[in-house]
Amino acid sequence: MMSDTRSPSLEIKNLVTSFATANGEFRAVDDVSLDLYPGETLCVVGESGSGKSVMSRSILQIVDEPGRIVSGSILLHPGRSGRRGVIDLAKLKPRGPEIKSIRGREIAMIFQEPMSSLSPVHKIGDQVAESARVHDGLDRRAARARAIELLAKVEIPDPESAVDRYPFEFSGGMRQRAMIGMALACNPDILIADEPTTALDVTIQAEILQLLKTIQKTNGMAILFITHDMGVVAEIADEVAVMRHGRLLERGNVFDVFANPQHEYTRTLLRAAKNAEAPSDRRLAMRQVRPLGEPILRTQSLRKEYQLSPGFFGRGARKLVAVHDADIELRAGENIGIVGESGSGKTTLARCIQRIHSVSSGKILYKLGGSDEQDIAPLSDSQLREVWREMRIVFQDPFGSLNPRMTVGQIIAEPLVNNGLGTSRSRRDRVAELLDLVGLPSSSMERYPHAFSGGQRQRISIARAIAPEPRLIIADEATSALDVSIRTQIMDLLLDLQEKLDLSYLFISHDVGLVRYFCDRMVVMYRGKIVEQGETETICNDPQHAYTQSLLSAVPIADPRLRNTKTRTRYRETA
Amino acid sequence: MLAYILRRTLWSIPFLIGASFLAFVIIQAPPGDYLTTYAAKLEAAGQSVDTARLNSLRDRFGLDEPFIAQYWKWITNILRGDFGMSFEWQQPVADLVGERMLFSIILALSTILFTWAVALPVGVYSAIRKYTAGDYVVTVIGFIGLATPNFLVALTLMYFGVVYLGADVTGLFSPQYATAPWSWAKLLDLLSHLVIPVVIIGMSSTASLIRIMRANLLDELYKPYVTTARAKGLGELKLLLKYPVRLALNPFVSTIGWAFPQIISGSTIVAFVLSLPTADPLMLQALMSQDMYLAGAFILLLCILSIVGMLVSDILLAVVDPRIRYN
């Protein structure tokens, strides 16, 4: 803790927020105490279900039903608004006038998903200046002027016209800027930011974090920043609080916590973050014993175009080139990472390689069954059956990609059934064997997916993918939706399976850290083009292309001492 | 926005042409024509049928010409404002249809207004008070409204009206105003007579719209943008009306398109029971006697109403939802 001469803006003392459920009371926030100081940033770190979001919403009393504050106090000290005396927010009625006068005026909040957190049918300006209209009683005209001023403050280009636009006309980063502008409308003392950069690309994240810091410097507000990312914490926190299962495990100065974590769980989180900054030892060791084989997959000038409008007899037709003449090569037993931000074409490329999508031009040379190379680009669906048995995919969303009405056994056996492999008895044995391979008990096969956590579900997806003895696994953001501490486990599982089953991986990710851990070589994509490819370590240490440089410079490093040592570059494509 | 309206309006022209053609196909579809029905009727009444006279009539009405030629003649005359003659009534179709169609439209519009005025607030209430006694009461009434055939309600109301209130609830006018020229008194009389048919015809669509509104709003109520608005310090009522209700209205607006023609054609039985001077009873009769031009005019007008209804709902949708406007 720093010196005690500082006086806090907000003191949370022994806060308990609980949800009444059919099985009794569930304490989402359990006895949490925190302090927020003006001009400082407190990062609350935790994984899904840690209660960090509910805690932050309790402050404003906007926890969704049936959640409610049971005990504890949230003391708000006087700030810029001129209100006198300390007020206990926990005692206020969630619908009363007192808490309403504090929301948006003294304490403002921004959220994770800038698209769904803004109304799609109201103009940006209307939403941005709304708190000013509510609290400062601005009329329409004054509110518009305030909105323009706020949009300029959050560095949205051309604020005079942006004010009359709708959220869907903005990019994700611009929307989040607008959200921040909205939170600043009444110049609040406290800003609560609930995972504000999680849904954004890493280069945009860097800009948003920078913007928050700049604003904090000028107006001295206290920021409560909720995140799961230790890299982001290292980047912006003054103090850190670690939460798990509703409880506060550890809190302290960011440098102390990173240098000398007290709780085992904090150490786990830090280790997971560090892992993402270096290659996996497991992988390096494996490559020593088993060198990479011959190429099994090569693409030559693979191109995918989408027609946007048909035009008139082919004239004036508009096309979108989703993948621009891609040449990649994957060798047996190799892991290739395809890195890029949203819209870079990385998933489209993978879908084309797997021939889920048709290909506009180019070749996909694949050694089917280990025999001679064959171009699978022109094959029809019926000719692709065998290719599809050998190339399997693991999806990002462990919740959406498993049919909730099938048992785990049925899910895993499905590719076997579809390919007519084995009898029902032999399939049962195979499912048990697969479950064992992915580290789940064979009793799991009778249960339904909802009984499993995100990480376990991803294991089920992997078991399904390896069921028909594939040679190539496409992992499309397969670890992105998982908690940090689970990610490494899943990647290690994939590496173990590679060793046991002779697999090659195409690993698609927006996260350079994961690629660095998992992949031997990486392919960097930007707007449908491969801008750079090569050995992962070579690229990470010495990126050649300006876009790769900007991407790598934006990745936060999980070490607060290295804060501000990296110079960020911003890549702008030249014509 | 203007471009969108213009484009959308232009698009409805080919639909109108298609609809008029289909209308003509439908009235020509049953075997025979007005004259064979007419002859059958005469024979059934024991009168002799003069074949030569029938043939000359057929010639005069152009009933032997090829289909396309008949259609062309019909549609070009309509464009000039001439809907042709009714065989059965021996009067211009336009005179027969005009006022009845007007009453049909008045009835339909009043029904839609009634439906909206009731369904909107009740649906909103039902959603924000989900699983409370009030919600259950509304839900039960709604399901009864959906499940009861409206002619039954019409008969019941008529019975109560006559027996207990001593009031005549049929028709759209009291006898003294039926043939009187338009005046304020006549308008008031019309309005008072509209109440019962509007309630009866609107009942089931009100009930279904309540369900739609409730479901739409429940989808929106817990969206993140509602939390955002709450975190800004907005009052609950203002917040509710400005954000989730506004978004829940979008699917609601698109119901206008189908509600309008549905109400017009769905009110036939009620119109019979309550002897309303609307288009429906006359149309039914025209269809039965194969009174080609009269039936054709009705069907065409109904099609036009549907298309106009769709157009109006599309334009309204673009007004309330910018995402549609910009695509």
Side-chain angles (χ1 to χ4, degrees):
Chain A
M1 292 284 147
M2 294 183 193
S3 72
D4 286 315
T5 51
R6 302 174 305 159
S7 68
S9 301
L10 188 81
E11 291 174 88
I12 301 176
K13 290 182 178 165
N14 309 103
L15 179 71
V16 178
T17 303
S18 76
F19 288 77
T21 68
N23 310 322
E25 195 179 275
F26 167 70
R27 291 190 163 198
V29 179
D30 196 355
D31 194 25
V32 169
S33 301
L34 293 169
D35 303 312
L36 272 177
Y37 294 93
E40 291 187 15
T41 301
L42 168 67
C43 275
V44 177
V45 200
E47 297 184 315
S48 47
S50 62
K52 57 193 193 301
S53 262
V54 176
M55 186 275 293
S56 69
R57 279 158 204 235
S58 299
I59 298 171
L60 283 179
Q61 295 254 25
I62 51 169
V63 184
D64 280 335
E65 299 274 317
R68 57 183 196 94
I69 298 174
V70 179
S71 62
S73 56
I74 303 169
L75 302 179
L76 178 64
H77 291 265
R80 286 189 279 260
S81 73
R83 184 180 45 77
R84 297 206 184 149
V86 178
I87 187 165
D88 184 357
L89 303 179
K91 298 278 182 296
L92 301 181
K93 287 197 202 76
R95 297 191 165 209
E98 295 94 345
I99 190 78
K100 269 182 221 159
S101 76
I102 287 163
R103 288 178 192 156
R105 189 166 64 118
E106 296 184 54
I107 306 177
M109 188 156 179
I110 56 178
F111 301 89
Q112 174 170 355
E113 227 330 306
M115 185 69 213
S116 51
S117 299
L118 288 167
S119 157
V121 300
H122 292 88
K123 288 180 180 166
I124 286 282
D126 177 16
Q127 301 188 61
V128 165
E130 193 168 24
S131 350
R133 292 197 70 175
V134 172
H135 298 297
D136 300 349
L138 296 190
D139 61 16
R140 192 175 283 271
R141 222 200 184 130
R144 192 185 146 87
R146 173 80 64 93
I148 292 173
E149 192 186 304
L150 289 164
L151 292 177
K153 198 177 204 168
V154 292
E155 295 159 24
I156 286 181
D158 194 10
E160 279 86 2
S161 74
V163 77
D164 289 323
R165 291 180 176 227
Y166 292 94
F168 61 87
E169 298 177 80
F170 279 46
S171 67
M174 285 299 148
R175 277 181 218 137
Q176 198 58 292
R177 282 172 188 270
M179 280 291 283
I180 294 172
M182 188 161 94
L184 298 177
C186 295
N187 199 13
D189 300 306
I190 297 168
L191 177 71
I192 302 172
D194 187 357
E195 302 251 14
T197 56
T198 307
L200 304 175
D201 282 326
V202 59
T203 48
I204 311 292
Q205 163 172 292
E207 290 172 18
I208 296 289
L209 294 179
Q210 186 58 48
L211 175 71
L212 283 174
K213 273 197 269 186
T214 314
I215 292 168
Q216 185 178 39
K217 207 169 270 173
T218 53
N219 74 357
M221 66 188 174
I223 297 181
L224 175 63
F225 196 103
I226 315 284
T227 183
H228 66 276
D229 187 337
M230 277 295 184
V232 172
V233 176
E235 198 73 34
I236 60 159
D238 294 298
E239 291 204 28
V240 192
V242 183
M243 279 184 76
R244 188 190 199 186
H245 304 324
R247 291 181 163 272
L248 186 66
L249 300 182
E250 176 165 4
R251 67 185 238 217
N253 176 280
V254 64
F255 297 97
D256 299 342
V257 170
F258 272 73
N260 190 14
Q262 296 301 306
H263 199 281
E264 178 52 37
Y265 179 66
T266 315
R267 282 194 279 275
T268 312
L269 288 180
L270 285 172
R271 212 178 307 125
K274 288 268 187 286
N275 273 339
E277 287 164 14
S280 152
D281 296 335
R282 198 181 292 237
R283 171 164 63 83
L284 296 182
M286 191 181 4
R287 297 290 179 261
Q288 294 300 318
V289 189
R290 294 159 47 96
L292 304 178
E294 292 288 298
I296 60 163
L297 177 91
R298 292 192 295 145
T299 67
Q300 291 178 345
S301 307
L302 175 64
R303 191 178 179 89
K304 177 68 183 172
E305 292 172 352
Y306 289 103
Q307 194 142 331
L308 293 179
S309 65
F312 188 70
F313 287 102
R315 288 205 299 180
R318 289 189 305 137
K319 277 189 248 167
L320 174 90
V321 184
V323 177
H324 231 283
D325 301 329
D327 293 300
I328 63 169
E329 184 180 290
L330 176 67
R331 294 194 278 168
E334 188 182 32
N335 303 344
I336 285 194
I338 304 179
V339 194
E341 303 190 329
S342 47
S344 61
K346 54 191 191 302
T347 293
T348 311
L349 173 60
R351 297 269 195 284
C352 286
I353 288 174
Q354 207 188 5
R355 280 300 322 281
I356 303 292
H357 289 347
S358 63
V359 174
S360 302
S361 65
K363 284 183 177 169
I364 305 167
L365 301 170
Y366 178 64
K367 281 191 182 163
L368 186 63
S371 59
D372 287 343
E373 271 185 346
Q374 178 183 355
D375 185 8
I376 61 168
L379 297 190
S380 70
D381 281 8
S382 58
Q383 293 168 312
L384 284 165
R385 278 197 83 85
E386 197 53 23
V387 175
W388 285 337
R389 190 187 64 73
E390 290 195 358
M391 284 189 199
R392 310 297 303 181
I393 188 160
V394 179
F395 294 99
Q396 170 171 7
D397 181 0
F399 294 86
S401 58
L402 301 177
N403 185 337
R405 307 212 185 283
M406 286 165 77
T407 63
V408 167
Q410 289 168 333
I411 289 171
I412 296 176
E414 198 177 25
L416 300 175
V417 176
N418 289 348
N419 285 291
L421 301 172
T423 61
S424 66
R425 175 177 290 269
S426 74
R427 283 199 289 263
R428 210 184 146 75
D429 294 342
R430 174 80 176 137
V431 169
E433 185 190 334
L434 290 165
L435 282 169
D436 185 50
L437 271 174
V438 298
L440 290 172
S442 56
S443 60
S444 312
M445 79 173 83
E446 307 300 338
R447 302 168 74 191
Y448 288 89
H450 66 81
F452 297 88
S453 69
Q456 290 171 323
R457 286 176 198 222
Q458 210 58 321
R459 287 173 189 268
I460 296 169
S461 299
I462 292 168
R464 172 175 61 184
I466 59 175
E469 297 178 341
R471 287 158 23 96
L472 172 61
I473 302 273
I474 297 173
D476 189 353
E477 302 273 9
T479 56
S480 304
L482 303 175
D483 280 328
V484 247
S485 58
I486 311 289
R487 272 183 201 166
T488 325
Q489 291 175 17
I490 295 293
M491 287 193 291
D492 286 346
L493 169 68
L494 291 173
L495 289 172
D496 288 346
L497 291 173
Q498 175 160 53
E499 185 158 25
K500 285 181 197 152
L501 305 173
D502 268 329
L503 295 169
S504 309
Y505 289 105
L506 260 184
F507 186 87
I508 300 164
S509 184
H510 67 281
D511 190 331
V512 184
L514 301 180
V515 169
R516 195 163 186 184
Y517 184 81
F518 190 78
C519 298
D520 304 291
R521 285 193 298 130
M522 69 192 262
V523 172
V524 184
M525 288 189 74
Y526 178 75
R527 295 200 179 166
K529 287 194 188 106
I530 294 180
V531 294
E532 187 163 2
Q533 60 176 313
E535 298 288 326
T536 309
E537 279 311 295
T538 316
I539 292 184
C540 286
N541 292 325
D542 184 20
Q544 296 302 309
H545 193 275
Y547 173 69
T548 321
Q549 288 162 1
S550 115
L551 183 70
L552 287 165
S553 75
V555 177
I557 306 174
D559 188 343
R561 285 167 303 176
L562 297 178
R563 193 182 281 182
N564 303 331
T565 54
K566 270 206 291 195
T567 31
R568 294 240 149 78
T569 57
R570 180 164 187 177
Y571 179 66
R572 278 201 180 79
E573 201 176 27
T574 43
Chain B
M1 182 69 190
L2 269 176
Y4 174 84
I5 294 177
L6 193 72
R7 199 169 61 228
R8 193 58 195 75
T9 313
L10 284 177
W11 262 112
S12 52
I13 291 172
F15 281 104
L16 281 174
I17 295 171
S20 73
F21 191 73
L22 260 179
F24 202 73
V25 169
I26 289 168
I27 56 172
Q28 291 277 39
D33 50 37
Y34 171 70
L35 291 175
T36 46
T37 321
Y38 178 65
K41 225 192 257 171
L42 287 181
E43 263 171 21
Q47 295 174 22
S48 68
V49 183
D50 182 356
T51 326
R53 194 178 120 72
L54 280 186
N55 281 340
S56 80
L57 277 176
R58 185 165 280 140
D59 216 36
R60 211 176 84 205
F61 295 151
L63 294 180
D64 275 339
E65 283 175 43
F67 177 82
I68 284 293
Q70 288 193 51
Y71 169 73
W72 182 248
K73 207 160 114 190
W74 180 64
I75 199 72
T76 44
N77 279 332
I78 285 179
L79 288 178
R80 269 183 249 121
D82 175 12
F83 283 82
M85 290 285 284
S86 160
F87 300 135
E88 196 172 15
W89 298 79
Q90 295 298 323
Q91 277 182 46
V93 167
D95 295 353
L96 285 170
V97 173
E99 198 169 50
R100 285 177 169 261
M101 210 62 208
L102 178 71
F103 287 138
S104 271
I105 293 173
I106 290 175
L107 186 63
L109 283 178
S110 325
T111 309
I112 287 179
L113 285 179
F114 163 79
T115 309
W116 275 56
V118 176
L120 254 175
V122 175
V124 171
Y125 173 84
S126 197
I128 56 176
R129 295 271 180 274
K130 188 175 65 153
Y131 304 143
T132 60
D135 178 32
Y136 286 127
V137 169
V138 168
T139 304
V140 168
I141 296 177
F143 280 130
I144 293 175
L146 266 178
T148 319
N150 51 19
F151 71 88
L152 196 69
V153 183
L155 287 173
T156 317
L157 282 181
M158 263 167 77
Y159 178 81
F160 276 98
V162 173
V163 173
Y164 293 101
L165 303 173
D168 175 25
V169 297
T170 59
L172 283 178
F173 296 103
S174 308
Q176 65 268 33
Y177 289 112
T179 50
W182 281 101
S183 63
W184 285 111
K186 185 172 176 174
L187 191 68
L188 282 178
D189 185 58
L190 173 67
L191 288 179
S192 69
H193 274 83
L194 269 177
V195 174
I196 283 183
V198 158
V199 170
I200 295 167
I201 298 168
M203 195 170 62
S204 73
S205 50
T206 308
S208 64
L209 279 183
I210 289 176
R211 302 306 296 169
I212 294 176
M213 187 66 204
R214 181 178 183 272
N216 287 349
L217 189 57
L218 281 179
D219 281 348
E220 300 294 332
L221 272 184
Y222 302 100
K223 292 259 175 87
Y225 65 83
V226 180
T227 312
T228 308
R230 195 167 286 137
K232 286 194 242 181
L234 257 71
E236 285 296 318
L237 183 68
K238 186 171 178 209
L239 179 154
L240 180 75
L241 294 179
K242 180 167 179 186
Y243 293 104
V245 169
R246 169 76 197 276
L247 272 113
L249 273 181
N250 291 1
F252 213 69
V253 166
S254 41
T255 61
I256 303 179
W258 51 260
F260 202 52
Q262 200 189 35
I263 283 170
I264 290 190
S265 56
S267 59
T268 312
I269 300 175
V270 176
F272 263 106
V273 173
L274 293 177
S275 39
L276 304 176
T278 54
D280 317 78
L282 190 64
M283 178 169 87
L284 190 67
Q285 206 184 333
L287 283 172
M288 287 195 302
S289 60
Q290 294 202 351
D291 192 347
M292 192 169 101
Y293 294 122
L294 185 56
F298 276 126
I299 292 178
L300 183 65
L301 285 174
L302 281 182
C303 289
I304 291 174
L305 282 181
S306 308
I307 290 167
V308 171
M310 289 293 178
L311 182 66
V312 169
S313 79
D314 277 2
I315 291 174
L316 274 181
L317 208 54
V319 171
V320 297
D321 193 340
R323 286 169 297 183
I324 291 174
R325 201 150 67 216
Y326 283 73
N327 279 331

